[in-house]
Amino acid sequence: MQERSDRRLRVLLAKLGMDTHTVGVTIIGHALREAGMEVIFTGLKQTPEMVAAAAIQEDVDVVGISTLSAGHMRNLPKLARLLREQGAGDKLLLAGGVIPQEDQSFLTEAGVHKIFTMGADTRDIVRYLQDWWAERQASEAA
Amino acid sequence: MTDAIADGLLKGTIAAGARAIRWLDDRDPRGAAVIRHIFPATGRAQIVGITGPPGAGKSTLADMLVTELRRRELRVGVIAIDPSSPFTGGAILGDRVRMGRHTLDPGVFIRSLGTRGQAGGLSRSTHDACLVLDAMGYDIVIVETVGVGQDEIDVVNLAHTTIIVGVPGLGDEVQAVKAGLLEAGEIFVINKADRDGYEAAWRQYELMLHLREVSLGAAAGSWPVPLLRAIATAAEGGVEIVDAILAHGAALRKEGTFARRSGLRDREQTLALLRDHLARRALSPAGEAVLAEVEARRIDPYSAVERLLAELDGKALTT
């Protein structure tokens, strides 16, 4: 039987801790939707444990964390570790927002795959995800 | 790989169940293999639909019901559906936002799905996702539809128990009568009962349910459809609604129609899959050419279908 797959990129977008600045993450969400992706919002005041659990229940490909009021040096490495520990280390972990240059290499080493800072163009984020997705699918097909 | 996922979900492993639903939602052939494997283990869970117009508070109500069901030590799966864009196929799935407090409860599994082009208030994969959650051992599976209008009530065919959620001040009686919504459903809830217009809405629904009872007569069955009130944001009404859900499930089991409803659902799903597969087979490989003829208005749609069916008849039955 000829089967057709309708794979669609699924992205979880979340904010950790007491950070309640939602404008950026909402805009990104809409840009990803316009690009044909399924975007799952979790709401505010999430802990790394909650984001990891939601990412697994939703079986997303990408977890995007918006961070605009610090806490990223503690929260993001913890989230990366939880995802790895729960067998979800293959999910792409992105961070965006106010992340000083001097923090970035630490975060990348801790397992954050890509960081977008203030002023990043949403089109660049969309393109980055589309390229990553194309590559992921090609490597799975190989 | 598919066996590992199927065995994992039968043991209740969250990641395995989540992956199975992904395959089914993506129409990955591995999904069908999982269903074959787990089907004998399904048929136990009570599927509870929640439907109603946009903004009726369905997600908040679902959140409240999960809390109450957990208080009674029942395990709960939730499938929350939001619309996909008909233009890009993308979707914002935001129902989890109202249910965040259950994320870390191991007795609760919440999954968001986009409609992905399916009309009727559900996604094409919803039935299969229910089977997965059923096989994982959840006692109750809540299916929250997209906000519906006047006749997107596919959930009625899917669920053992359908809850219709209304709110005060949405429209006059004519709106309510038009809605096929009011002819279906086993439990009615007026949410936001602290709002203006609540008494008027209550009277309208009461009248509607009375008329339904009169017109359906014996065909309505023995279940007395309850009309309940809720203020989901204030956690009011959950106890009564869960009482009604469990009472309806017990009534179905007692009269022997619980399994029959599941069977009817599987029948519908079989027909849907058949339509899907036949259409795809009829269209491959020459279908695009025929469709192009129709688009160019060289042949009419009826003749096009006849031609495609004639070709289908000629195709080998084993593909």
Side-chain angles (χ1 to χ4, degrees):
Chain A
M1 181 81 64
Q2 180 92 26
E3 293 279 356
R4 188 162 67 92
S5 175
D6 291 342
R7 278 184 83 176
R8 199 163 278 287
L9 186 62
R10 284 168 66 86
V11 183
L12 186 95
L13 292 182
K15 294 189 71 71
L16 294 165
M18 298 306 282
D19 179 358
T20 55
H21 306 281
T22 55
V23 176
V25 73
T26 308
I27 291 172
I28 304 283
H30 283 274
L32 300 185
R33 174 184 181 271
E34 292 308 306
M37 302 171 196
E38 284 184 353
V39 179
I40 293 121
F41 281 123
T42 57
L44 299 172
K45 297 178 187 166
Q46 301 287 298
T47 62
E49 285 84 356
M50 289 164 84
V51 172
I56 290 166
Q57 288 178 22
E58 297 288 349
D59 197 13
V60 293
D61 307 288
V62 180
V63 177
I65 300 297
S66 156
T67 171
L68 290 159
S69 49
H72 55 270
M73 292 297 272
R74 192 179 62 255
N75 284 329
L76 284 171
K78 186 168 184 194
L79 174 58
R81 178 171 56 76
L82 288 169
L83 286 171
R84 274 196 308 274
E85 284 172 2
Q86 295 174 37
D90 61 333
K91 300 191 192 306
L92 184 74
L93 178 57
L94 305 179
V98 183
I99 300 171
Q101 187 71 44
E102 58 267 31
D103 294 349
Q104 293 187 12
S105 61
F106 170 79
L107 291 176
T108 316
E109 269 162 48
V112 179
H113 297 100
K114 174 82 177 168
I115 294 166
F116 293 96
T117 48
M118 294 303 285
D121 191 322
T122 53
R123 284 167 299 189
D124 291 334
I125 300 173
V126 167
R127 209 169 301 123
Y128 176 84
L129 283 177
Q130 285 170 335
D131 290 347
W132 175 82
W133 182 232
E135 220 168 274
R136 165 66 62 101
Q137 287 184 298
S139 73
E140 278 177 21
Chain B
M1 180 63 172
T2 57
D3 281 352
I5 291 293
D7 290 335
L9 79 87
L10 286 172
K11 285 191 204 102
T13 310
I14 302 274
R19 179 55 49 89
I21 294 174
R22 177 70 189 270
W23 285 343
L24 291 157
D25 202 31
D26 283 349
R27 291 212 250 191
D28 184 312
R30 286 173 289 186
V34 170
I35 292 292
R36 276 186 209 113
H37 191 126
I38 67 169
F39 189 75
T42 63
R44 212 184 49 87
Q46 183 182 354
I47 316 289
V48 178
I50 300 182
T51 192
K58 294 182 292 298
S59 299
T60 312
L61 195 80
D63 173 66
M64 176 173 77
L65 297 184
V66 171
T67 304
E68 179 59 23
L69 288 162
R70 291 300 291 147
R71 206 179 57 78
R72 302 186 194 198
E73 294 179 357
L74 291 163
R75 302 181 68 228
V76 191
V78 179
I79 297 163
I81 301 154
D82 271 328
S84 301
S85 159
F87 302 103
T88 67
I92 301 272
L93 310 177
D95 292 319
R96 285 194 88 89
V97 173
R98 312 259 178 257
M99 306 183 216
R101 60 176 152 159
H102 302 295
T103 303
L104 289 176
D105 180 347
V108 179
F109 181 126
I110 301 169
R111 181 58 167 258
S112 318
L113 296 173
T115 52
R116 298 196 179 184
Q118 181 87 348
L122 303 174
S123 72
R124 201 188 44 248
S125 58
T126 305
H127 174 265
D128 288 332
C130 285
L131 288 178
V132 170
L133 294 179
D134 184 352
M136 288 176 78
Y138 293 97
D139 302 296
I140 304 276
V141 177
I142 294 176
V143 176
E144 184 202 330
T145 73
V146 303
V148 299
Q150 293 168 342
D151 66 351
E152 298 124 314
I153 48 166
D154 283 1
V155 70
V156 172
N157 296 322
L158 178 89
H160 292 103
T161 309
T162 301
I163 302 174
I164 312 279
V165 187
V167 278
L170 259 197
D172 53 22
E173 292 120 83
V174 184
Q175 284 294 336
V177 176
K178 264 200 301 199
L181 278 182
L182 293 184
E183 296 157 38
E186 283 82 21
I187 299 169
F188 281 73
V189 174
I190 301 181
N191 191 25
K192 309 191 185 181
D194 51 344
R195 293 267 179 101
D196 281 348
Y198 165 69
E199 282 81 11
W202 182 276
R203 280 195 301 274
Q204 273 177 24
Y205 275 76
E206 215 173 27
L207 177 65
M208 211 67 56
L209 285 173
H210 176 67
L211 291 176
R212 165 173 143 162
E213 211 177 282
V214 171
S215 64
L216 288 179
S222 55
W223 172 252
V225 175
L227 177 59
L228 303 170
R229 68 190 290 283
I231 308 170
T233 49
E236 272 184 41
V239 174
E240 292 77 9
I241 299 170
V242 167
D243 282 345
I245 291 170
L246 299 179
H248 185 245
L252 288 179
R253 286 189 171 97
K254 192 166 163 232
E255 63 187 36
T257 45
F258 190 88
R260 192 167 151 264
R261 286 216 185 189
S262 310
L264 286 174
R265 195 171 74 226
D266 293 322
R267 177 195 152 97
E268 285 300 315
Q269 173 73 354
T270 306
L271 290 172
L273 287 173
L274 188 65
R275 276 192 293 274
D276 207 43
H277 283 267
L278 280 178
R280 262 185 283 158
R281 263 189 62 194
L283 285 172
S284 75
E288 276 309 317
V290 177
L291 290 176
E293 297 263 294
V294 177
E295 273 181 53
R297 311 203 80 228
R298 278 196 288 275
I299 58 172
D300 66 278
Y302 286 92
S303 307
V305 169
E306 243 168 60
R307 201 192 293 179
L308 288 168
L309 285 179
E311 276 183 45
L312 184 63
D313 287 338
K315 279 177 194 165
L317 282 173
T318 53
T319 44

